[in-house]
Amino acid sequence: MTIAMVDGEGVSFRQRAGRWWPVVVLAPSLLASFVYVVVFTLWTLYISLSNSGLLPSYGFVGLENYASLWANRRWNIAYNNLFFFSAFYILGSMAVGLLLAILIDQRVKGEALWRTIFLYPLAVSFIVTGTVWSWLYNPADGVQMLVRSLGWESFSFALASDRNTAIYAVIITGIWQSSGFAMALFLAGLRSVDPDLVKAAQIDGASAFRTYRKVILPTIAPIFLAVAVVQIQFAIKTFDLVAALTRGGPGVSTTFPAIYVYDLMFQRGQIGEGAAAAMMMLAALAVVLVPYSFFVVWRRRRESRHG
Amino acid sequence: MADLSLARVADPEAAAAGRRFLAGRIAIYGILGVFALIYLAPLVVVVLNSFREQPEIARNGLINLPRSFTLEAWSSAWGSYCIGGTCEGMKRNFLNSLAMTIPATIISTLLGALNGYVLSKWRFRGSEALFTLMLLGVFMPGQIALMPWAFVLGKLGLTNSTYGLVLVHVIQGISFTTLFCRNYYVSIPDDLIKAARIDGAGFWRIFRKIVLPLSPPILIVTVIWQFTGIWNEYLFGVVFTSGREQPITAALVALTAGGTTARTYDVMSAAVLIGALPPLLVYFFGGKYFVRGLTQGAIK
């Protein structure tokens, strides 16, 4: 609820000045956010419609950059990869995170230790994770070499070096990095479920599995959404992970829009087309972002109506 | 859930339940153990390799128990290893990252706390819409902002400078910090604020005396989130800086990409750990509060 401003005659100077503080405090951040969100987006949109090459220029060329972008096979692969990766990465992280959270919720011993183990990858960068996993995937030095040296000579583990499977290497590494985060959120959700509700289900004779499926998981449904939204944040960052893990290869098999934008803008001097690619990334995001922000606004309204 | 251990009475049904319980326990710890192994293995491999001698790694393999011990890799990675022509190790980039991350974290957290305070306790007409606008910043992919930032940083004379990255990260971070703090402050009872106002306390006094003392849980979350996020960021670092001015993430990629020569896993392992250590330390000391606070603030 908004606090009613104290109105009336005997308002001191301090109080009147105080009325402006909220606006004064908020203004710089607002201005910065406005420039960052609105101006920068429109700016990039404009560049994407211009004939910018090595340097930005402002000759209007309409949708030419978009046409040449979509005519490019590599871009199409990159765009497909983004959706393929995001879907498996988000579902994978959630599945692993939920499994770990439920297991830890069974009053296991040493809970803090388990949690720390599963959560620490979140603290390190995709660069660090990608680098180290690229060594493990490397057939000459990594897991394959280890197993072969133990005597299984025909063992093959070369996910990241095969163009058909490299994307799975990226997905697995991504899940490793962020499933702990999902676990932490799910665990907190499980802990917030009303114990009476659970007890009632057990008295009714529901099995543990049924209790989870019918009682506990539905009550923490909002957490699923929260986890998904945060994971999409990470999915957008595929630039870091891929840059360190596979550098888009082998061939173009793990190219992502983020990598492609960077290449166009800073390696190949095609700024206009790079901006078009960046706008397409935003479009992909908007598919998720627009419904979600409507949902947030709707929920906030309801929240404030109920005090 | 499963431990309805009423197995004190010695009847067959209870015994069966006890056996089921035991089997369940074994399964739980078994699965957790397997996952723990997968989660820890990469860290263990890197730590061990950073203390091994490169010839021994080459001979016995990357994933193997160490049969040599040296601190050579660490000192080389820190101060003398060659990355793209300059042989100064990671030291300079490490300090760049510190000089970038610490101010950006502090500034964006302070701004977030103030914004969150206004947007939760001093709402005005249209403030919700403004909050939504700021929220959009959370979702902005960095790629959209690359060209505009390059132009702005150029105009400000902050190209290839740590200060430029501080600016970028502060502005990008405001949306996160505001979101966290706003969602947390909403749960401070309005009556508390109202009472203070009746007592004549103004905007700043209420912030200092009531809101700030209640803030540590969310400030810890925000600081950890910002510190790890900014330290680990790569895209802006690699685009807006080069060579000696690069933050450590960009330097790490430059180092490990180092082309044709045989891979020096010892030095690379030490370098990776140098790059991972600060956020890991922050996490180990604050992780407990992070999870607790995150669920109070971020997830609403």
Side-chain angles (χ1 to χ4, degrees):
Chain A
M1 286 287 110
T2 318
I3 298 155
M5 296 284 174
V6 189
D7 272 316
E9 312 271 299
V11 184
S12 73
F13 168 75
R14 268 179 58 123
Q15 272 170 317
R16 242 176 297 152
R19 242 183 249 179
W20 290 101
W21 275 122
V23 179
V24 173
V25 163
L26 204 58
S29 301
L30 266 180
L31 184 69
S33 290
F34 179 77
V35 169
Y36 183 62
V37 173
V38 179
V39 178
F40 279 16
T41 303
L42 292 178
W43 194 341
T44 298
L45 175 66
Y46 191 79
I47 294 174
S48 78
L49 301 172
S50 74
N51 60 353
S52 301
L54 199 56
L55 293 166
S57 63
Y58 294 100
F60 188 77
V61 294
L63 295 175
E64 225 169 74
N65 286 320
Y66 292 87
S68 84
L69 184 68
W70 283 105
N72 189 312
R73 189 180 137 266
R74 191 175 155 223
W75 167 257
N76 283 283
I77 292 173
Y79 212 67
N80 285 337
N81 276 347
L82 178 62
F83 284 96
F84 189 80
F85 169 82
S86 299
F88 280 92
Y89 164 73
I90 293 168
L91 289 177
S93 306
M94 277 192 170
V96 174
L98 185 61
L99 173 69
L100 293 175
I102 290 177
L103 290 176
I104 288 179
D105 196 34
Q106 308 304 313
R107 290 178 216 174
V108 293
K109 287 206 175 65
E111 180 188 323
L113 181 65
W114 294 114
R115 280 212 317 223
T116 306
I117 292 172
F118 299 133
L119 201 53
Y120 91 87
L122 186 71
V124 300
S125 59
F126 273 128
I127 296 297
V128 163
T129 302
T131 305
V132 175
W133 279 80
S134 76
W135 302 344
L136 300 180
Y137 287 128
N138 182 338
D141 301 315
V143 173
Q144 174 172 312
M145 194 267 189
L146 171 74
V147 176
R148 284 190 183 177
S149 74
L150 294 175
W152 184 356
E153 296 291 340
S154 62
F155 179 80
S156 169
F157 182 77
L159 271 188
S161 6
D162 180 333
R163 59 175 63 227
N164 294 315
T165 57
I167 186 91
Y168 296 103
V170 182
I171 291 170
I172 290 172
T173 312
I175 293 175
W176 179 86
Q177 166 103 3
S178 63
S179 49
F181 181 70
M183 173 215 69
L185 298 196
F186 281 129
L187 191 57
L190 294 176
R191 295 282 154 84
S192 71
V193 173
D194 183 2
D196 291 341
L197 215 63
V198 179
K199 224 168 270 168
Q202 284 172 340
I203 290 169
D204 285 348
S207 66
F209 178 74
R210 222 180 125 78
T211 311
Y212 269 103
R213 205 166 59 92
K214 293 282 182 190
V215 180
I216 298 176
L217 296 187
T219 48
I220 62 166
I223 304 228
F224 283 83
L225 184 68
V227 173
V229 170
V230 177
Q231 301 285 44
I232 287 167
Q233 290 301 307
F234 293 137
I236 302 159
K237 288 186 182 166
T238 43
F239 180 71
D240 314 28
L241 180 58
V242 175
L245 186 61
T246 62
R247 300 181 207 284
V252 295
S253 58
T254 56
T255 306
F256 279 83
I259 299 263
Y260 200 74
V261 169
Y262 177 80
D263 279 359
L264 283 173
M265 285 184 176
F266 302 102
Q267 310 286 325
R268 291 201 260 157
Q270 294 174 290
I271 287 175
E273 200 173 320
M279 289 311 294
M280 293 317 301
M281 281 181 71
L282 189 65
L285 255 173
V287 173
V288 185
L289 188 152
V290 171
Y292 178 71
S293 50
F294 276 120
F295 173 75
V296 167
V297 170
W298 170 77
R299 198 174 53 173
R300 194 139 7 88
R301 288 234 175 94
R302 200 186 52 171
E303 197 176 275
S304 61
R305 206 177 306 138
H306 296 305
Chain B
M1 296 291 100
D3 58 352
L4 297 165
S5 44
L6 307 163
R8 263 173 297 159
V9 201
D11 65 83
E13 222 169 276
R19 270 199 306 277
R20 254 204 324 275
F21 173 72
L22 191 67
R25 289 276 107 176
I26 292 171
I28 288 168
Y29 285 106
I31 299 171
L32 283 177
V34 169
F35 272 99
L37 199 69
I38 297 170
Y39 277 73
L40 285 174
L43 181 67
V44 172
V45 167
V46 179
V47 170
L48 291 182
N49 278 299
S50 73
F51 293 111
R52 294 168 71 191
E53 287 163 3
Q54 180 55 34
E56 192 255 319
I57 297 177
R59 204 167 48 244
N60 296 327
L62 178 72
I63 313 175
N64 212 327
L65 290 175
R67 267 157 241 169
S68 55
F69 179 83
T70 173
L71 296 173
E72 194 63 33
W74 280 85
S75 70
S76 168
W78 177 250
S80 65
Y81 195 73
C82 300
I83 310 166
T86 45
C87 298
E88 300 179 314
M90 312 287 289
K91 189 170 137 200
R92 165 111 193 163
N93 307 103
F94 184 88
L95 296 176
N96 287 344
S97 275
L98 273 187
M100 163 183 82
T101 309
I102 292 174
T105 301
I106 293 173
I107 297 171
S108 61
T109 302
L110 284 178
L111 286 174
L114 285 170
N115 294 339
Y117 171 51
V118 171
L119 291 170
S120 60
K121 295 298 166 219
W122 294 82
R123 292 181 198 173
F124 48 89
R125 190 189 294 271
S127 67
E128 291 296 283
L130 297 176
F131 176 55
T132 309
L133 172 79
M134 294 183 80
L135 204 61
L136 288 178
V138 169
F139 298 93
M140 276 273 288
Q143 282 76 10
I144 288 284
L146 284 181
M147 289 324 293
W149 267 129
F151 180 83
V152 170
L153 292 179
K155 280 281 168 214
L156 295 173
L158 294 175
T159 310
N160 203 17
S161 114
T162 301
Y163 297 112
L165 289 180
V166 170
L167 179 70
V168 171
H169 284 301
V170 165
I171 292 184
Q172 211 210 2
I174 287 175
S175 44
F176 281 99
T177 57
T178 302
L179 170 71
F180 286 177
C181 294
R182 184 256 176 213
N183 283 356
Y184 183 79
Y185 291 154
V186 161
S187 63
I188 298 177
D190 282 336
D191 291 343
L192 221 58
I193 312 288
K194 216 177 273 177
R197 285 178 61 102
I198 290 168
D199 289 346
F203 180 83
W204 290 105
R205 214 178 135 77
I206 294 174
F207 183 67
R208 269 204 332 269
K209 296 285 176 185
I210 298 177
V211 174
L212 219 46
L214 292 170
S215 298
I218 196 61
L219 292 186
I220 290 171
V221 171
T222 312
V223 164
I224 293 178
W225 183 273
Q226 287 298 94
F227 186 94
T228 53
I230 296 170
W231 181 278
N232 290 336
E233 205 277 338
Y234 171 64
L235 178 66
F236 293 134
V238 77
V239 169
F240 299 133
T241 58
S242 59
R244 299 186 73 220
E245 301 306 319
Q246 284 191 328
I248 198 153
T249 44
L252 260 181
V253 172
L255 182 147
T256 52
T260 49
T261 49
R263 302 196 118 189
T264 48
Y265 281 118
D266 56 341
V267 176
M268 291 196 297
S269 296
V272 158
L273 285 174
I274 291 171
L277 221 45
L280 274 179
L281 286 178
V282 166
Y283 164 72
F284 276 122
F285 287 111
K288 198 169 57 175
Y289 307 100
F290 181 67
V291 172
R292 198 184 301 156
L294 200 61
T295 51
Q296 288 172 322
I299 316 239
K300 284 203 192 157

